[in-house]
Amino acid sequence: MKTIVLSCFDGLSGLQIALRKLGIKVDKYYASEVDESAMTITMKHFPNTIQLGDIRKITPKMIEKNPTLIAAGSPCQDFSLGGLRKGMVTKENVAVTSLDQYLKLKSEGFKFDEKSQSYLFWEFVRLVRQLKPKYFFLENVRMDHVWMHVISRELGVFPININSSLVSAQNRDRLYWTNIPGLSAPKDKGILLGNVIPGAVGGFGKRGRNVGEKKRDGSIKWTPYPTTRTDKKANCIVTKKGNTTMVMMKNGTHRQLTVEEAEQLQTLPKNYTKVDGVSNVGRWHAIGNGWTIDVITHLLKGLKKDLVKRKK
């Protein structure tokens, strides 16, 4: 029996890295991605990837029926507890809470928030419903309970909460929804930032809302001030270098992480994103948009066991 995979929002194809690490042979791997840098990185390492482009333009006819796995790390900006928390809404702030509602609004020409694109979760659900894979897998950030329950209701499972800090030196708290059996959190490997960057004591930067200044109208203007993590981990890798992507050193100085260090914190193969035609900005964006590979590898172990059983 063939192993067919569709990866929505494929990015730099962290899913293929995890499948390869597990020794899972994939007969056809379809990818939906629009970021040129990420696609260039993917095609360098996995030239047989079938690139399908924008998920909104994918139809069932483009993919073999009943794939083994459909996976996604859908856009998260409007879910993030550190963001606007709008969730999945139209430009008129109409909350979209079911696939049927989304498809109806789409057919009626409603416009969605194209800046964050968190609503594209519904395109993932559409393809799962249409293609009927044996397994599905979704990753996203920790979010308000109302949206977590909307997603859980649509997928029919509750998520498992795993922080990448268990397998790396990075704090990256994420939710994972899947029907792959044998789900569990990985054991804590006890990896500290100093193990990755000699002399580093913790992530440094402006996180949260630490200082409040009362304005004339009575509202509060919040201003974060830079702090150093006390758990000896790096802050979460995001898509751009900035206030949160620094490290504090033992000598009291701080500096930005390098692209290579960001790769290590995401447990990517060394220099995986070092590909001709991709700038350091493009590399960093792809890394920040990606998955922590060792977490995904752990969660897909149940898939490997099932595929072995099916082939016996």
Side-chain angles (χ1 to χ4, degrees):
M1 187 175 289
K2 288 183 178 180
T3 299
I4 309 298
V5 175
L6 167 61
S7 175
C8 306
F9 320 104
D10 186 57
L12 49 66
S13 223
L15 179 61
Q16 289 200 80
I17 302 173
L19 291 169
R20 183 173 61 187
K21 287 184 71 172
L22 288 168
I24 297 175
K25 182 182 180 297
V26 176
D27 296 286
K28 282 191 178 181
Y29 187 95
Y30 298 92
S32 172
E33 183 53 61
V34 295
D35 182 82
E36 292 295 335
S37 293
M39 293 168 68
T40 300
I41 293 168
T42 293
M43 299 311 290
K44 167 68 175 179
H45 299 283
F46 301 100
N48 292 327
T49 301
I50 303 169
Q51 295 283 358
L52 301 178
D54 192 330
I55 191 171
R56 292 167 292 193
K57 298 177 182 179
I58 295 176
T59 65
K61 292 181 179 180
M62 299 165 70
I63 302 161
E64 288 194 29
K65 292 181 180 179
N66 305 119
T68 310
L69 172 68
I70 297 182
S74 59
C76 65
Q77 290 90 332
D78 274 343
F79 289 132
S80 174
L81 296 178
L84 297 176
R85 304 190 187 186
K86 292 192 301 181
M88 296 178 283
V89 297
T90 66
K91 281 193 172 182
E92 294 79 15
N93 283 323
V94 175
V96 186
T97 58
S98 74
L99 177 62
D100 288 342
Q101 181 194 11
Y102 168 71
L103 293 175
K104 184 174 184 293
L105 291 170
K106 186 179 176 182
S107 68
E108 293 173 352
F110 273 74
K111 301 299 181 182
F112 299 90
D113 186 350
E114 293 301 326
K115 186 175 181 180
S116 73
Q117 297 191 326
S118 292
Y119 76 91
L120 289 177
F121 159 77
W122 295 115
E123 294 289 349
F124 164 71
V125 176
R126 172 181 67 84
L127 289 170
V128 169
R129 296 278 179 87
Q130 292 174 336
L131 292 167
K132 297 178 173 55
K134 182 173 179 58
Y135 293 116
F136 63 80
F137 181 94
L138 175 74
E139 176 266 1
N140 215 297
V141 296
R142 284 187 62 209
M143 60 186 70
D144 286 335
H145 284 288
V146 63
W147 290 110
M148 185 194 76
H149 283 286
V150 167
I151 292 173
S152 299
R153 184 197 66 216
E154 285 296 316
L155 296 180
V157 296
F158 282 102
I160 182 172
N161 185 191
I162 297 176
N163 196 317
S164 296
S165 62
L166 293 174
V167 298
S168 76
Q170 176 196 186
N171 176 71
R172 194 180 190 86
D173 210 2
R174 293 293 186 266
L175 298 176
Y176 300 89
W177 289 261
T178 184
N179 62 342
I180 294 173
L183 211 60
S184 67
K187 292 181 178 179
D188 190 346
K189 293 183 178 181
I191 303 172
L192 303 179
L193 187 57
N195 301 134
V196 177
I197 305 171
V201 297
F204 178 79
K206 295 181 179 180
R207 299 180 297 118
R209 296 174 171 179
N210 308 109
V211 180
E213 177 187 345
K214 194 168 184 178
K215 298 164 68 175
R216 288 184 179 180
D217 62 3
S219 63
I220 302 294
K221 178 182 178 182
W222 294 100
T223 306
Y225 61 85
T227 58
T228 302
R229 296 191 68 89
T230 58
D231 59 2
K232 299 181 182 180
K233 300 283 186 176
N235 293 328
C236 182
I237 304 298
V238 291
T239 56
K240 293 181 181 179
K241 287 187 179 183
N243 288 331
T244 66
T245 54
M246 295 182 283
V247 292
M248 178 62 73
M249 307 302 289
K250 283 183 179 179
N251 63 7
T253 63
H254 61 270
R255 65 167 177 82
Q256 281 285 351
L257 289 165
T258 66
V259 176
E260 290 74 21
E261 290 164 349
E263 282 183 336
Q264 286 182 273
L265 293 170
Q266 284 284 57
T267 63
L268 282 159
K270 186 176 181 181
N271 288 324
Y272 178 82
T273 62
K274 191 175 182 180
V275 174
D276 288 344
V278 180
S279 68
N280 279 344
V281 172
R283 291 174 67 187
W284 187 282
H285 189 272
I287 294 166
N289 254 345
W291 288 339
T292 305
I293 304 305
D294 285 0
V295 172
I296 307 305
T297 304
H298 173 80
L299 293 176
L300 292 182
K301 286 180 179 178
L303 174 64
K304 180 179 181 180
K305 289 180 181 179
D306 180 70
L307 292 177
V308 170
K309 288 180 183 178
R310 290 167 65 193
K311 289 179 180 179
K312 284 183 178 180

